[in-house]
Every structure is written in structure tokens, then in C-alpha cells.
Amino acid sequence: MWYYYDGFGRLWQSPFIVLYLVGFWITPVFSHPQCLDFKPPFQPQQELQFCVMYKHFGCCDFERDQELMTKFYRIMDNFDYYGYANCAGYVQDLICQECSPYAAHLFDAEDPNTPMRTIPGLCPDYCSLYWNKCRSTVTLLSEDPRLAEIEHDQGKFCQYLELDDPDYCYPHLLSNEQLTKNLGRVTADSEGCLQLCLEEVANGLRNPLAMVHANDGTHRFFVAEQIGLVWVYLPDRSKLEKPFLNISEAVLTSPWEGDERGFLGLTFHPNFKYNGKLYVYYSVEVGFDERIRISEFRISAGDMNVVDHSSERIILEVDEPASNHNGGQLLFAEDGYLYIFTGDGGMAGDPFGKYGNAQNKSALLGKVLRIDVDNNDRGPLYKIPPDNPFVHERDARPEVFAYGVRNMWRCSVDRGDPYTKDGKGRIFCGDVGQNKYEEIDIVEKGKNYGWRAKEGFSCYDKKLCFNSSLDDVLPIYAYPHKMGKSVTGGYVYRGCEFPNLNGMYIFGDFMSGRMMSLKENKNTGQWDYNEICMGTAVTCAFPGLINNYYQYIISFAEDEAGELYFMSTGVPSATSPTGVVYKIVDPSRRAPPRKCHYDPLSVRVKSNLIKFQPKETLIGTETPDKQSKATDSEEPLAANPTVPTYATTKDWLQELIDLLNEQDVASGRTTPAPTTSTTVRTPRQSRPRKGRRRKGKNKSTGSAQNGAVRLAGDEAARKDRGRVEIYANGEWGTVCDDLWNTKNAAVVCRQLGFRYALKAAKHAEFGEGKHLKIILDDVQCEGTEETLLDCQHAGVGVHNCAHYEDAGVICGNSDYTEY
């Protein structure tokens, strides 16, 4: 029974009030609500006076509510008392649907390229009642000439106002619990994976490993490439043609995939706006020694978008005994001091000295250092803060703030809750593990974070692990290597645009491409975990949003307004221009219009501007088809196989040869020129659900030899792509994708007679080979081996993965295809 059927005003508000007692959520199998401006709904800052049924959550702010009320009275002034009593409820209902969280569905506005309805889509029974009682209001509500033509024909009239998808017609959608359950919160799938979307911000970058702002009111952001260049981006996302900083001649790195050396960190002084100082962290070679160097620079007096390169002052250098575990984070915390995060010196197991560098407080490696760089224009380049924890301890370096660190990769300072300031000043870090666990820590003064005694919560060095005098701090979260093998620390979201994300610590894993989140449970003090998946094409069907990203998550970032970003790449090499910067977007709820508005200070630009051209696209489907609504039994939409890809890079050997030739020609030049080609995209979407992938056909084993491979699982039975199946020890099996990359794929494709490996497919893209054993895991090839068995791997039949990680390939005889 619908309360407004009798036409009297005393009843037409009641059902909406009941609706908002239900809650705030939308299940992932239904189209996502959108407002008429093609953005998510919001909670109004000022309570609505007219469309009060949507005062808690919807698509109207107070100003729009007042405009709709004015429209209502303008229409109702045409009626006498009887007409007002009969039709006021209907007119208000129809006008106020613009404020509904489902306004885009009701007005057919999901696609901005199609005309919008002027009257919301009505359910047939409601339309009949409206037509019988109040059809005289139609021409006052709408200027649609078609409605005026068919106003006197009830059948045609109601058919015209009917929606293709009856689940969204008004008013039946109000009683649809599947639609209205927990409306407005971050959507999660049945496995608890949060559905977010992305916005492309910058592209064509070579291993972008830091993005920072200057906190000077300009809202510029600065993106650093591993080779030693930093670029300026303006608030409109245009890039300055001239680099902000170029120390590529001094930076030590190489084009090899996975090289941890290079330009590693950048931060601006808290008073940069007044003193023009910034600090960088990079690898250098001095004679035969490799070092990490912390330097101070000043901004150019003549150009606010360029560093004065002659102003460099080396603040600190630390010898690196190996080429890995170089740390790389620099940041200023709430206390105004500069924090430096060093790695343990490299190799495996921190083998230096009796207990390793990390436990040795007389060494600067494996530490969090804290120094004072204020007022250093005369006298020492830095001072020791008087409250550093070990300043009075014999043999301890006074710079040490915390120790027991393996290789913290990306740390951040929590801005604190925007209202309560809860959490303000906490320092979060991701510490890369050895061979079992990755961990997230909150760094505090004087604390021991356990390495090499412990890795995560687990013992690593048993002799040290059970030494109670270590008094080491456990991580707030640790995860095993079946989930990922190189943590990338992130940020606690404290921005304005997406209120539901407030307090959520978002981080990732470099190797697996997994995006994750933690949120503190105030009752238990524990941190609750949720994986983050990319939303379906329907969930992310807002203009400008995408739902996929390159796998190798290098770093996270926060802009001046507090919004959250991350950087990833398709090929983890300092010379591969496949790096992209993405903004994280919550499609379930946004802040009210104008709440997050800011006016950046003007920027005097002397360089040419390069306009931003997005390259990434939403994958899974085109604009949602209202005729084919998803159901509970449907799988989340998969990648559209017709989406064009980018050309592949040359193989690594050819790339190196070209680089050496180039260096021979340009003698004295140590920095390789940027490559002009890009690699095949390896987008990461929602984590595959177990048991719901397409299966390939069984193939007979025949008389295969050890190391033989075959491809399976392609629905079109194409011979150039499929799940990789390998023959070893008398049986066929699959390969896990934990370390699966284009070099591994090249070995397979060459075995099968193809010239190129166009894609190293992951996450069971070609289905799960559940009918087979998993034969290989952690495969690492150089690209020249005869078979995968000749590459490094965990051992035949040894694995810690599942079939939803089955690896595949796409091969070809030309270096480009639209797959």
C-alpha cells in the first residue's frame, strides 16, 4: 500500500522517512546511484526544508532544495484548493526525485550523451493513479512536447514514462531492500573486498616513486622519477616542460628491472613558502663505493618552478654495502624535524656484524633517523634534537630515532581526523619483509621494530627472537607472501571529497599489485583489514573514472588538500615510460557540493605547458545497458577483450644494447634517454573470485618432455594465448603468477614459436586450471632460458598460492596487437 494514493498532503512524506531508517549501502550487483551531475550522492550540509525525504542522503543541497520548492509553489499557484489537495503530493514527489540518490536512473541520466527525462520514470500503477488524478500538471512540470501530445492517452502516457529497468521505477524502488540496504557506504563484495575507482592524473612517467606537494597554497604536485628527474604539475594537471629538478647525471641507477637504487625520496621544508628549501634522497657512486645521499636544495630565485642546482648541500651520506635495501623515505613530522628512513644495507638476512645493522645502534643503516635542519645556513648542516632517544647512550648514533628496520618503503604522517584530530602525527610505514611476511608499523620514538630477530610476527633469527631484552614492537598488521612480496606503505585518508574513507589506511604491494586497507577499531584497538578491488564498469561509470591500473604499485601520495593517490608502472625499470599516477575515488558517496572548494595561489610559469592527455580507459563494458541489469548470480564484469593496448617494449636485452650504443655516441652521458615505446598494459581489477573462472579443456599428456608448455583456457581457442600449463615429473600443471612478468612470458612464447611476449597475464585471466596441480611458483627468468624449469623457482610442486593466481601469456609475431 502506498500512502500517497489518496492524494491528501498529510501522508505523502511518510514512506521516505521509513526509507532512511533502513541504512546506507548498495550491493555491488546493482547499478550504482548517480546524481544528475554524474557524481555520487552526498549528505547535505544544511538540512533540507522541502525535499525532506532526502535530507539524510541524496543529490540536493540546501540551495537546490530551495529552488525546487519555488518551482513547486509556482506550479501549485495554478490550482484551487481542491486541485492543491489532490495533486500537491504528486507534484512534490515528482519534483523531489531530482534529490533521490537514484536520480540518474530515474531520469535516464547515466549516460551524459543521451537526453535526460524531464519527469522521472514511474511505475505503471503509480503512473495510472497520477494520470487519473493530476495529469493536468504534466505541462507545468515538463516542456517535453511528446508528453503534451499523449497526455490524453493513459496507455501511451504511462508507457512513455516507464523505465527499461523496472527495479528503478518510482516509487517501487523505495521498497526494494536490495537497492536501499546500507545506501551510501563503500561497496564491498561477498568476500569483503571494497570497491573503489580511479582517476588518471599523469602518465608516461619512468618509475614514478614519489609525489609530494610544497604546502605553499599553490596546489602544485611534484613527481619524481627514479632516474633523477622531478616534474611540476599544476592543479589543472598540465605538466611543465622544463624539469623542476634534474640530477640524473649524479644518480646511480640502471635500466634493469627491480634495481632499487636511484632517486628515492623528496620532501619540502615545512616553511618552504618562506625559505625555499627542499630535501632529496638518492643513490650515488663515490669511487668504488655506493652510498645513499641526503641533500638540501633551494628553489631558484628567478623561477618558482625550478630548483637552483648549484645550491646543493650534502647533509648526510651513508655507505651502502650492497645495491639493495636502500630505504628512501624523507618526511617532516609534526615536530618539524626531518625523518630519514634507511634500509639495513642489503643482501639477505642483514648479515652485517654480530646482530646485523638494524639492531646495531652505532650504525645508521636499518634505522629511522631524526635530525634538525632549521637555521643551518651557518654552522653545522644539521643538529641533533635534544629529545632523541639515544643521545646519552654510549656508542649509539645520536641521529637514531627508532631501529630494527629492514627496508621501510614509503612512510607517511597522519593528518588526523579533520574534526577531532584523532590520530594526528602518527607515522605509518610499510617495512618490506625477507621471505615470508610484509608488515605495517607505526613508528614511535626509541622503539625497536624487531628485524632481524623477527619478520612480521614471526621469528627470523631464533637466537635473537627469544631475547626478551630486545623489547621489540610488533607491527599493527602483517601479511604472508601468498598475498604479496613487497609492501608499499600508504596513507591514512584525511581528505574532504570522500567522507567514507576517513581514517582508512590505504596501502599496496609492489609485486602482487594488491591494494589493501586497515581501519582502527576503537573498541578493540586492533586494525581491521579489507582488501580493495576495482569496482565493476557499472560501479565506476562516472565520467573520467577508470577501474584498472598497472600492477607494480611503487608509491602512494597525498595532495595539498589531503586527497589520496598512488603510482604504479607496467615495467619496473627506471627507463620504462609506463608509470601512471592515479587518484583514488570512492564512488559510493562524495562531500556536498562546494564543501571541498579551494582557490590555489597563482603560479608564475616560465616554461611551456604540456596539456594532460589521459590514456587509460574504463574496462569491462560500455555505458551500462539498462536492459541487462546484473543479478546476484552474475560474475563481476571482466576486461573487454577489444580494448586496444599499447605497443610492447623491446626485450630487455635489446633495450640494454640500445642504451650502451647511445652512451657510446654521447660520451660522458650517464643517464639513458627516455624510451619512446610503452609496454603492454597489465591492468589489475577486482580480485578474482574462487571457483568462478572459465576452465580450459583437458588435454592429453601424450609423450611430452620435461619443461614442455601448452596454452589453455582461451574461449576462442586461439593458439597465441592462454593459461600456461607445463609438463614436469610426468604430469601437466599450472604456474602461479606471484612473480610472473614479461621475461617469464618470453620464455614460454619462444618455446611455442612466437617472436614476442605481448602480455604476462595474471590472476587466472584465462581461467583456473583446477583439474591440474600447481607445478611452479615464484618463477624468475632472465628471458633467455630454454624452459621455465631452467629459471629460478620455488621448486617443482612447491608453492604457496592458489589457482586464482594461474599465470598466462599472450604471444605474437608482431610487437603490437589489439587483444
Side-chain angles (χ1 to χ4, degrees):
M1 175 179 176
W2 297 98
Y3 295 107
Y4 22 72
Y5 286 179
D6 64 4
F8 292 98
R10 68 176 183 270
L11 293 175
W12 36 261
Q13 293 182 7
S14 302
F16 298 96
I17 295 172
V18 172
L19 166 67
Y20 281 96
L21 296 177
V22 174
F24 305 91
W25 192 284
I26 177 171
T27 53
V29 294
F30 292 99
S31 297
H32 203 281
Q34 300 173 3
C35 295
L36 297 183
D37 58 357
F38 311 108
K39 293 181 180 179
F42 53 88
Q43 182 178 340
Q45 284 182 284
Q46 188 174 348
E47 192 165 296
L48 308 186
Q49 294 180 346
F50 179 62
C51 297
V52 292
M53 63 288 288
Y54 297 121
K55 66 181 181 181
H56 297 295
F57 189 69
C59 291
C60 290
D61 58 10
F62 180 80
E63 287 76 13
R64 185 57 184 159
D65 179 66
Q66 294 297 296
E67 292 170 3
L68 294 178
M69 182 161 57
T70 301
K71 179 179 180 180
F72 169 81
Y73 284 118
R74 187 171 61 246
I75 292 171
M76 297 314 299
D77 282 346
N78 293 280
F79 296 89
D80 58 17
Y81 173 81
Y82 177 79
Y84 193 100
N86 252 338
C87 297
Y90 285 105
V91 172
Q92 184 179 29
D93 287 345
L94 297 181
I95 288 175
C96 283
Q97 293 322 299
E98 184 179 326
C99 301
S100 166
Y102 293 97
H105 302 296
L106 289 166
F107 288 90
D108 271 353
E110 298 100 324
D111 184 352
N113 300 311
T114 58
M116 248 187 336
R117 292 172 178 258
T118 53
I119 292 180
L122 303 181
C123 301
D125 52 354
Y126 180 84
C127 182
S128 297
L129 289 166
Y130 168 62
W131 187 87
N132 282 316
K133 286 190 173 187
C134 299
R135 64 177 178 269
S136 58
T137 64
V138 169
T139 53
L140 299 171
L141 283 164
S142 169
E143 297 179 356
D144 185 345
R146 176 62 178 156
L147 279 173
E149 288 175 16
I150 61 176
E151 176 189 342
H152 299 289
D153 186 326
Q154 178 183 339
K156 289 183 179 179
F157 178 83
C158 288
Q159 185 178 10
Y160 187 72
L161 291 182
E162 192 173 351
L163 288 175
D164 292 330
D165 189 340
D167 281 353
Y168 287 98
C169 70
Y170 180 82
H172 290 181
L173 85 159
L174 302 179
S175 60
N176 188 328
E177 291 186 3
Q178 289 181 305
L179 287 179
T180 58
K181 181 183 178 184
N182 296 320
L183 179 67
R185 291 190 181 174
V186 183
T187 304
D189 65 15
S190 60
E191 298 177 356
C193 200
L194 304 180
Q195 309 272 309
L196 298 181
C197 306
L198 303 174
E199 188 177 347
E200 185 183 1
V201 172
N203 53 41
L205 292 157
R206 289 164 290 183
N207 262 26
L209 44 73
M211 169 182 159
V212 298
H213 63 86
N215 197 33
D216 61 355
T218 64
H219 290 264
R220 294 172 293 172
F221 58 90
F222 303 80
V223 178
E225 295 178 316
Q226 186 177 351
I227 59 173
L229 287 103
V230 180
W231 303 97
V232 180
Y233 290 81
L234 300 181
D236 66 357
R237 297 180 183 171
S238 58
K239 174 185 174 182
L240 272 62
E241 188 176 59
K242 186 176 181 180
F244 176 72
L245 177 67
N246 184 354
I247 54 172
S248 55
E249 294 291 337
V251 169
L252 174 64
T253 190
S254 76
W256 301 105
E257 291 187 19
D259 193 339
E260 297 179 21
R261 301 167 301 177
F263 189 105
L264 302 177
L266 166 70
T267 191
F268 287 81
H269 194 282
N271 292 321
F272 169 78
K273 187 174 180 179
Y274 306 103
N275 65 22
K277 292 183 178 182
L278 59 140
Y279 299 84
V280 299
Y281 186 130
Y282 62 100
S283 303
V284 293
E285 191 170 38
V286 180
F288 294 103
D289 296 328
E290 291 186 11
R291 298 177 185 174
I292 54 174
R293 174 180 291 172
I294 315 300
S295 284
E296 176 187 272
F297 286 89
R298 286 182 182 268
I299 201 71
S300 168
D303 190 342
M304 65 185 297
N305 295 304
V306 174
V307 165
D308 177 359
H309 290 72
S310 67
S311 68
E312 180 176 15
R313 296 198 301 168
I314 299 172
I315 300 291
L316 182 67
E317 281 189 347
V318 183
D319 284 333
E320 276 284 349
S323 62
N324 57 341
H325 301 187
N326 300 297
Q329 182 70 52
L330 287 177
L331 58 82
F332 283 92
E334 292 290 324
D335 54 20
Y337 295 129
L338 178 62
Y339 287 70
I340 304 167
F341 299 78
T342 65
D344 66 7
M347 299 190 191
D350 193 6
F352 308 102
K354 187 175 182 181
Y355 302 114
N357 281 325
Q359 290 298 322
N360 178 6
K361 285 180 280 190
S362 67
L364 294 180
L365 294 172
K367 304 295 187 300
V368 180
L369 310 178
R370 182 172 75 154
I371 61 175
D372 180 358
V373 292
D374 282 347
N375 304 311
N376 66 347
D377 294 333
R378 295 180 180 178
L381 292 171
Y382 69 87
K383 299 185 289 292
I384 303 299
D387 64 337
N388 267 13
F390 306 111
V391 289
H392 302 299
E393 184 173 318
R394 186 179 178 182
D395 297 329
R397 288 292 298 258
E399 296 93 341
V400 175
F401 180 78
Y403 63 108
V405 168
R406 185 175 181 272
N407 191 35
M408 284 183 166
W409 182 249
R410 293 312 174 233
C411 304
S412 62
V413 180
D414 186 356
R415 294 187 181 204
D417 184 275
Y419 302 104
T420 68
K421 303 304 178 185
D422 184 45
K424 184 177 175 64
R426 294 181 300 186
I427 300 175
F428 289 79
C429 285
D431 199 4
V432 180
Q434 178 67 45
N435 52 23
K436 288 186 178 180
Y437 297 99
E438 306 296 307
E439 67 182 68
I440 300 294
D441 297 298
I442 296 179
V443 174
E444 297 177 336
K445 182 169 69 173
K447 299 296 186 180
N448 178 4
Y449 289 86
W451 177 250
R452 72 183 188 199
K454 290 180 182 173
E455 179 187 8
F457 295 102
S458 174
C459 280
Y460 180 81
D461 184 330
K462 293 182 179 178
K463 292 180 181 178
L464 289 175
C465 183
F466 298 110
N467 185 345
S468 60
S469 66
L470 287 178
D471 193 27
D472 50 325
V473 176
L474 294 175
I476 62 169
Y477 182 73
Y479 61 92
H481 276 191
K482 67 180 180 181
M483 291 174 60
K485 293 178 176 163
S486 182
V487 66
T488 301
Y491 282 78
V492 178
Y493 180 82
R494 300 297 188 185
C496 172
E497 295 180 19
F498 309 111
N500 286 337
L501 301 184
N502 183 36
M504 188 182 293
Y505 178 72
I506 296 177
F507 63 105
D509 188 274
F510 175 78
M511 290 303 298
S512 69
R514 194 181 295 262
M515 193 91 71
M516 297 167 276
S517 73
L518 300 172
K519 192 156 188 180
E520 188 175 14
N521 186 320
K522 299 297 183 182
N523 296 323
T524 64
Q526 302 298 310
W527 290 80
D528 298 330
Y529 171 84
N530 281 102
E531 186 169 350
I532 292 174
C533 300
M534 293 295 96
T536 64
V538 174
T539 305
C540 297
F542 297 96
L545 297 192
I546 57 175
N547 60 350
N548 59 98
Y549 58 89
Y550 286 108
Q551 172 191 335
Y552 298 102
I553 301 174
I554 308 173
S555 190
F556 284 79
E558 194 179 48
D559 68 15
E560 196 164 348
E563 300 307 321
L564 193 55
Y565 303 74
F566 73 94
M567 289 142 277
S568 67
T569 187
V571 177
S573 162
T575 60
S576 174
T578 57
V580 180
V581 179
Y582 304 93
K583 181 179 181 180
I584 295 174
V585 174
D586 172 17
S588 69
R589 177 187 170 195
R590 59 168 159 150
R594 294 175 291 280
K595 181 181 180 182
C596 304
H597 176 77
Y598 56 83
D599 293 310
L601 296 178
S602 61
V603 176
R604 297 186 302 276
V605 175
K606 297 187 176 182
S607 168
N608 292 328
L609 293 178
I610 302 171
K611 187 177 179 181
F612 172 59
Q613 295 290 340
K615 295 180 180 178
E616 308 300 305
T617 56
L618 182 73
I619 62 175
T621 186
E622 297 300 321
T623 301
D625 181 358
K626 295 186 285 294
Q627 302 266 2
S628 56
K629 178 179 64 65
T631 64
D632 284 317
S633 62
E634 287 179 339
E635 185 73 11
L637 293 165
N640 185 343
T642 63
V643 173
T645 63
Y646 302 109
T648 182
T649 53
K650 306 166 188 176
D651 64 84
W652 63 270
L653 183 59
Q654 186 61 49
E655 185 177 34
L656 179 62
I657 292 170
D658 291 347
L659 176 62
L660 294 174
N661 289 339
E662 185 178 289
Q663 291 176 340
D664 287 341
V665 173
S667 59
R669 178 176 176 178
T670 59
T671 304
T675 56
T676 56
S677 58
T678 57
T679 189
V680 173
R681 296 176 63 233
T682 310
R684 177 168 174 84
Q685 296 176 273
S686 301
R687 172 167 45 84
R689 297 182 181 181
K690 298 178 182 178
R692 311 257 305 258
R693 289 286 176 176
R694 300 186 299 271
K695 296 181 179 180
K697 296 179 181 179
N698 277 317
K699 298 184 180 182
S700 60
T701 58
S703 56
Q705 296 182 344
N706 256 14
V709 290
R710 65 188 184 189
L711 304 182
D714 181 51
E715 286 188 332
R718 290 168 290 188
K719 296 181 180 180
D720 63 346
R721 65 198 67 198
R723 178 178 62 250
V724 173
E725 296 181 355
I726 185 168
Y727 189 78
N729 296 345
E731 62 181 329
W732 286 97
T734 65
V735 180
C736 259
D737 65 20
D738 279 347
L739 297 176
W740 193 245
N741 59 29
T742 51
K743 291 181 182 178
N744 302 344
V747 173
V748 173
C749 291
R750 191 172 59 253
Q751 270 187 270
L752 296 171
F754 293 97
R755 294 175 60 195
Y756 298 100
L758 301 178
K759 184 177 183 180
K762 295 191 170 193
H763 314 305
E765 181 176 324
F766 294 101
E768 299 181 19
K770 287 188 172 181
H771 55 292
L772 301 173
K773 285 177 59 176
I774 297 174
I775 295 290
L776 293 181
D777 188 13
D778 295 337
V779 180
Q780 298 181 72
C781 301
E782 293 295 328
T784 57
E785 294 86 350
E786 291 188 10
T787 76
L788 295 179
L789 295 180
D790 300 321
C791 304
Q792 293 184 40
H793 52 78
V796 175
V798 177
H799 67 88
N800 61 356
C801 56
H803 278 295
Y804 62 79
E805 298 171 281
D806 279 345
V809 295
I810 298 178
C811 307
N813 287 317
S814 64
D815 61 1
Y816 176 79
T817 186
E818 291 191 1
Y819 52 77

